[in-house]
Amino acid sequence: MTRAAVALAVFAASSVASAQDAGVADGGSAALRATIAPIDPAELEAIRPLLARGPVIIPRAVDQHSNSRPTIYARVQAPIAVVHRVVRSPEEYAQFVPALGDVELQGRTGRRTAFRFHARAAIFDVHADVRVNVVNDRRVDVDVTRSDFGPAGTRWEFFAENANTTVVALTVWCDPAQATWAIRQFANSSAYSASSANITAETVLALAVKRRAEILAGRRLPVRPPSASTPASQLTGPSFGAWTSVLRGGLDLVSIELDPQGSMRSISVGRYVVSPEDIVRRRLMDAQYWGNYWLWLQNVRVLQQTADRVRISTTLGSPLSAGSGEVEARLDPSRQTVWIEGRTGDFARDRQRWDFSAAPGGGTFVMYTGTSDEAHAAWFQRVLMDRDVWAVAGLSGYWKVVMIRYGMWSL
């Protein structure tokens, strides 16, 4: 996954490019329709209450290479026509996507706009020829006809909540295995590489479009918030509710909590497992076995242990940056929350919580909540995070999906 992080940096830093489709001529939109499904209205209704906290991501086929199809939903305080204009106007992209370099318009014909751009993504130069296709007033596709990063695609859909509020849904697909040789060397090492790129890229791009549309609608906002994250004093995730229907369908769900300035406060990831609560509780409190699931935790050693508290020392290995220290897991009196908190060394500021609740009909809904993963990011991830503050939210969201999937493995 270290190599996947490089691919992720390429795609997310060139966020406009990594949300495109590799169709040629008029076949681009046809190919896009074949690879990205339209939004399910039931899914949107289930997650709508969570949008008050911030964007919601539904990852799909997370570990299935180019089958990855994550969707990000975001509520925008702007009319649907304004949001639509932002997406369909590539000549303005460089004004609100910092990683994007030169943009050269090549022509407009009817509902189509063609342009070329160059961007610097970490150690790679990225070039692409792109076409924006306005399908209707509620959908825009963006296709690539030539690129360095392989075939990819995006589908923007817009849903008006009222005259001044729009929900944006952006679904992304890419196949870095068909990129240039240099990028393929990093991407082919992990089945997660496409998802790492897609989740990060769509987070950066959706939040950039949201901010641009709100500015055009009259809100006095900077192009980017002053900081990537402002951790909340009280770490809480969303209450279990109607959104768990998404989990029951076999999908994970990411809820990103933003503060009023747009900085990330926390990220929660939900997952359904067939095992009962007591098995989930035991998995989280048996810290001596964490290295069996979270493979980057190495040299795990139990220092203290009681019925409701365990303290370990551990070191971090690839794909994260090196680190060491002591971590404590504490069972809340409710017995439905396990707090995991760093105590010393490189983990001293870490805070996480795991909540679990019995699901109707059997099994358990599990939710993992934490803050930014910037402190433990590898070098390439840090390069990406320095390019755009919202890349921190995207990378942290992706990493928390990995955490809950690995941690709840086989349950």
Side-chain angles (χ1 to χ4, degrees):
M1 289 177 63
T2 300
R3 292 182 175 182
V6 179
L8 159 142
V10 172
F11 289 99
S14 56
S15 54
V16 173
S18 57
Q20 320 297 336
D21 177 64
V24 294
D26 289 339
S29 292
L32 183 59
R33 286 193 293 273
T35 58
I36 298 179
I39 294 302
D40 180 352
E43 179 177 281
L44 174 56
E45 287 309 305
I47 64 94
R48 196 184 293 273
L50 296 179
L51 296 176
R53 306 176 77 245
V56 170
I57 301 171
I58 309 293
R60 293 179 173 83
V62 176
D63 58 352
Q64 296 181 31
H65 296 281
S66 60
N67 288 328
S68 168
R69 299 288 190 279
T71 297
I72 184 168
Y73 296 91
R75 179 173 284 134
V76 184
Q77 301 302 322
I80 191 170
V82 174
V83 185
H84 192 277
R85 174 203 152 179
V86 172
V87 175
R88 72 171 189 261
S89 303
E91 65 273 23
E92 298 180 5
Y93 285 176
Q95 299 179 35
F96 61 93
V97 182
L100 191 61
D102 299 330
V103 174
E104 176 189 348
L105 279 183
Q106 296 180 304
R108 276 195 171 93
T109 302
R111 292 173 173 266
R112 292 180 180 270
T113 303
F115 70 100
R116 175 176 296 164
F117 81 87
H118 163 264
R120 180 74 175 169
I123 63 173
F124 297 97
D125 285 321
V126 178
H127 303 82
D129 291 333
V130 187
R131 179 179 292 114
V132 178
N133 178 34
V134 178
V135 178
N136 53 45
D137 60 1
R138 296 178 304 282
R139 175 180 163 194
V140 176
D141 299 340
V142 187
D143 311 330
V144 157
T145 58
R146 184 192 62 83
S147 71
D148 297 320
F149 43 80
T154 185
R155 178 180 180 130
W156 291 89
E157 296 183 66
F158 313 103
F159 304 88
E161 289 195 324
N162 56 50
N164 298 304
T165 307
T166 306
V167 173
V168 169
L170 169 62
T171 304
V172 172
W173 166 81
C174 74
D175 186 4
Q178 297 185 50
T180 59
W181 179 88
I183 297 174
R184 289 200 312 271
Q185 304 316 300
F186 298 104
N188 289 344
S189 65
S190 172
Y192 281 80
S193 62
S195 285
S196 66
N198 291 341
I199 291 172
T200 306
E202 70 178 15
T203 301
V204 171
L205 189 53
L207 290 179
V209 166
K210 167 181 164 66
R211 179 59 62 96
R212 173 67 170 174
E214 291 178 345
I215 291 172
L216 293 178
R219 299 189 67 190
R220 295 179 177 273
L221 297 167
V223 174
R224 286 294 186 275
S227 61
S229 62
T230 54
S233 57
Q234 298 293 324
L235 187 62
T236 58
S239 300
F240 290 108
W243 61 270
T244 57
S245 63
V246 175
L247 310 183
R248 210 50 193 268
L251 298 172
D252 301 324
L253 181 147
V254 182
S255 175
I256 302 176
E257 181 189 13
L258 301 179
D259 70 12
Q261 287 72 45
S263 300
M264 181 184 68
R265 278 181 171 156
S266 69
I267 297 181
S268 299
V269 182
R271 185 172 179 80
Y272 170 77
V273 299
V274 298
S275 300
E277 286 181 81
D278 61 326
I279 299 298
V280 175
R281 187 182 299 111
R282 189 181 311 159
R283 168 70 59 88
L284 295 169
M285 292 302 296
D286 285 346
Q288 65 268 35
Y289 302 119
W290 284 355
N292 294 344
Y293 310 108
W294 295 309
L295 305 180
W296 47 91
L297 293 182
Q298 301 172 0
N299 307 312
V300 175
R301 184 166 62 93
V302 175
L303 303 176
Q304 298 174 346
Q305 189 164 15
T306 65
D308 60 359
R309 195 180 298 261
V310 58
R311 188 169 180 140
I312 64 167
S313 65
T314 185
T315 58
L316 287 178
S318 179
L320 301 173
S321 63
S324 62
E326 297 179 7
V327 178
E328 185 174 86
R330 173 172 52 86
L331 181 62
D332 188 83
S334 68
R335 298 186 61 79
Q336 291 189 303
T337 299
V338 171
W339 296 89
I340 299 179
E341 298 169 323
R343 295 305 187 194
T344 67
D346 296 298
F347 308 125
R349 296 184 179 181
D350 289 1
R351 291 186 303 151
Q352 307 166 19
R353 62 180 291 169
W354 291 78
D355 298 279
F356 34 94
S357 177
T364 307
F365 294 127
V366 182
M367 182 165 54
Y368 165 53
T369 300
T371 54
S372 167
D373 291 308
E374 189 173 7
H376 304 303
W379 174 72
F380 254 101
Q381 294 170 327
R382 289 179 181 275
V383 171
L384 173 57
M385 290 173 174
D386 288 342
R387 296 294 299 275
D388 195 305
V389 295
W390 285 323
V392 176
L395 279 162
S396 298
Y398 160 72
W399 190 248
K400 284 173 172 51
V401 171
V402 173
M403 283 286 292
I404 199 169
R405 290 173 64 86
Y406 276 55
M408 297 293 105
W409 179 79
S410 78
L411 293 189

